[in-house]
Amino acid sequence: MIEKSQDQIETRLFINGKFQPSSDGKTFTVTNPFTREPVANVFEASDADVDNAVAAAKAAFPAWRDLSPADRGKYLHRIASLIREHEEEFARLEAVSSGKPVSRYVDASVAIDAFSYFAEAGWTVQGTSSWNTSGHLNITSKEPYGVVASIIPWNVPLAFFGIKIAPALAAGNTIVLKPSEKAPLTCLLGAKLLVEAGFPPGVVNVLSGHGPTTGAALSSHMDVRCLSFTGSLLTGRKIQTAAAQSNMKTVHLELGGKAPAIIFPDADLEAAAAQTQFSVHIFSGQTCIANTRIYVHESVAEKYTALFKGMFGAAVLGDPLDKETTLGPQVDKIQYERVKSYISTAEKEGAVTLGGDAKDGYFIKPTVFENMPEKSQIMKEEVFGPVVVINTFRTEDEVIRKANDTEFGLYASVFTKDIDRAVRVSKLLEAGTVAVNCTSPLMPKDMPFGGFKESGTGRESFLHSMESYLETKAVLIKIGS
Ligand code: ADP
């Protein structure tokens, strides 16, 4: 199949229902991380473009808010089916622009599910009532914020296109979405489908651009009342600060992780090895929920580690467009260099026992470090590559202490057949999600997803996301006699 030529790929900003170049004509280049050839020159939104997009969203808000949930839902159903029709095109575009193997492409199905669910869920927005004040019927109503912004990362862009846009719109808000400069193209293709779905102009706007420019302008914008961010801790801090220093917009943050997986001696070691390696294998380790710190009981460490390495080491590195490939390159040169630098620092403190730099394009081989000092950088910071540490432990208390000795708290897992131990340990692990005899990327759609500690604020899921996009108002009604 011949890939799309550059002029067929949408690269413009999507503002007020129309595609347009940036006001100052600035572009940036997206490069195929496998071939290292340019894929497209994408327009970068300037401050003026951000103002225009927010103004369009603000103008579109009252009419969108006043539609019934069923009428808003019709548009969401339409975009869900259009994404389904174009699923393969999305997978191929992501493969050539960010290196994600087509064999691992889940983004479209996540987006389809989100749009389909939230197409119906608008009806659940409900307030409360109270007769507790004499002579009054007092009620609460749930109301949209108005203009919501969302800033998303590059690992599953179209999934975020659905996860962020669908609940915000179902709640009656309008939105400005900023994809990552590393992977903006599938969101722009999604915007093309929004036009086909007939969305009223301004309800959704998509602005490509870098963080310190476009992202910063959105975070400090006075007319953005709520911002949902997924990305790194460092950027989350900047966004929180910008929000506080501008209009105190409500900010929801889904930040990084350093997820521990604990393997007790009675665990099904084969299943534990299969799942824990998949967790760091998928998307070349570029997920915040990857179980990058594995603690295995010393009595089964040898057996588990051999199983783990056998499966992880069997990853198929190659062309992301090839259906046999399971491990693509890192998303770009910056990310590749970053992972390499984590590996070389870690090599000074411990031994790499599998993998390392593939020395071929932006590929990192499935990489295992063993017995690393708990205080080492690789145990504390997010690497975002197919890199894992396997350390051993002796006692339950010891492993809980080690697992929790991190500022992150997004995801944790425990493998054991002892139900009492599973429950005890689940209670004590400091993480927004604890998985028992399973691990990431498992994220059931109705379970709240979000972080303890510095992994973020707020929760997302079918049952929790819409709440994040609603204000609560008290209406006090005095009853005349
Ligand atoms: P990642 O390592 O996943 O790319 P980042 O936090 O750097 O994590 O990026 C996530 C998103 O945040 C991207 O869309 C990026 O452009 C944006 N971003 C980066 N810096 C800023 C900033 N200072 N203000 C707002 N957004 C930013």
Side-chain angles (χ1 to χ4, degrees), residues 320-397:
L321 287 172
D322 182 342
K323 290 203 170 82
E324 299 301 311
T325 299
T326 66
L327 195 104
Q330 304 311 117
V331 70
D332 65 3
K333 187 164 195 292
I334 301 174
Q335 200 54 31
Y336 166 66
E337 297 292 346
R338 213 174 105 95
V339 177
K340 266 204 322 184
S341 122
Y342 274 114
I343 292 176
S344 61
T345 305
E347 274 174 328
K348 291 185 194 119
E349 294 183 86
V352 62
T353 62
L354 183 80
D357 179 9
K359 301 203 168 75
D360 171 21
Y362 302 151
F363 283 95
I364 301 286
K365 289 192 228 164
T367 300
V368 177
F369 285 90
E370 289 176 60
N371 303 313
M372 292 300 287
E374 289 294 319
K375 297 276 173 232
S376 57
Q377 183 197 39
I378 204 158
M379 295 297 282
K380 296 291 172 208
E381 293 180 23
E382 218 178 8
V383 176
F384 246 58
V387 180
V388 68
V389 176
I390 303 180
N391 278 359
T392 58
F393 71 94
R394 277 192 191 150
T395 69
E396 194 175 304
D397 286 351

Side-chain angles (χ1 to χ4, degrees), residues 65 111 117 128 146 260 307 337 378 439 442 452 477:
R65 172 196 60 198
Y117 174 80
T128 60
L307 286 165
E337 297 292 346
I378 204 158
T439 184
L442 185 67
F452 277 25
I477 307 168

Side-chain angles (χ1 to χ4, degrees), residues 151-154 178-182 209-212 215-216 219 229-232 235 238-239 335 384:
I151 299 178
I152 61 172
W154 41 268
K178 192 197 90 60
S180 166
E181 63 282 2
K182 293 185 195 296
H210 284 77
S219 329
F229 172 72
T230 299
S232 65
T235 302
K238 289 184 188 158
I239 289 177
Q335 200 54 31
F384 246 58

